[in-house]
Amino acid sequence: MQENLLIGFVVIWLGLTVGSVMLFQRGNDVAKKRRLWPIYTVFSNVVIGGFIIFMQPPVAWMIAILILLVPVTLLTIRSTRFCDRCGQASRSPFFMKPPQKCSHCKKPL
C-alpha cells in the first residue's frame, strides 16, 4: 500500500515537472500563465505536504514544516511575475516584493 502511494507521489511530481516546463517555460500566452500560476503553486505545495505526511517525521517537525509551506506558497505566488513582452517568468530574489523588470528582456513589468 505504501509503495503504491510513494509511486503515486513520484508520478504526480513528474507530471507537475513536465507540466511546469510545458506551461511556464514555453509559449507566450501570458494571460494563461498568470491564471494558472497560483493554481499550480498551491497544488504542487499540497503534493509536497502530502509527501511530508507520508514520510511521517516527528509530529512537531511535520506541523512546523506544513505551517511553513503556507507563507512560502503565498510569497512564491506574490514574487513571480510574467513579462508581457517575452512571456517568461521573473522572480524577486528574496520574496520581499514583486520584480520590477523582466530578468530576461529587461522590460519593466
Side-chain angles (χ1 to χ4, degrees), residues 16-82:
L16 285 169
T17 302
V18 170
S20 173
V21 169
M22 298 301 289
L23 288 172
F24 302 113
Q25 302 299 321
R26 302 173 71 156
N28 292 326
D29 190 353
V30 177
K32 182 178 179 181
K33 290 179 181 185
R34 287 181 182 145
R35 186 178 72 249
L36 293 176
W37 179 248
I39 297 167
Y40 171 82
T41 304
V42 169
F43 183 71
S44 65
N45 285 335
V46 166
V47 170
I48 291 170
F51 188 72
I52 290 168
I53 292 169
F54 172 76
M55 296 303 292
Q56 298 175 351
V59 175
W61 280 96
M62 181 172 58
I63 291 171
I65 292 170
L66 293 175
I67 289 173
L68 183 63
L69 274 177
V70 173
V72 167
T73 302
L74 296 174
L75 289 171
T76 299
I77 292 169
R78 179 179 158 231
S79 68
T80 303
R81 295 288 180 258
F82 292 95

Side-chain angles (χ1 to χ4, degrees), residues 24-30 33-34 81-90 101-109:
F24 302 113
Q25 302 299 321
R26 302 173 71 156
N28 292 326
D29 190 353
V30 177
K33 290 179 181 185
R34 287 181 182 145
R81 295 288 180 258
F82 292 95
C83 179
D84 289 322
R85 182 170 161 194
C86 68
Q88 295 297 313
S90 294
K101 63 181 180 176
C102 177
S103 59
H104 302 278
C105 69
K106 307 300 183 210
K107 179 186 173 203
L109 296 174

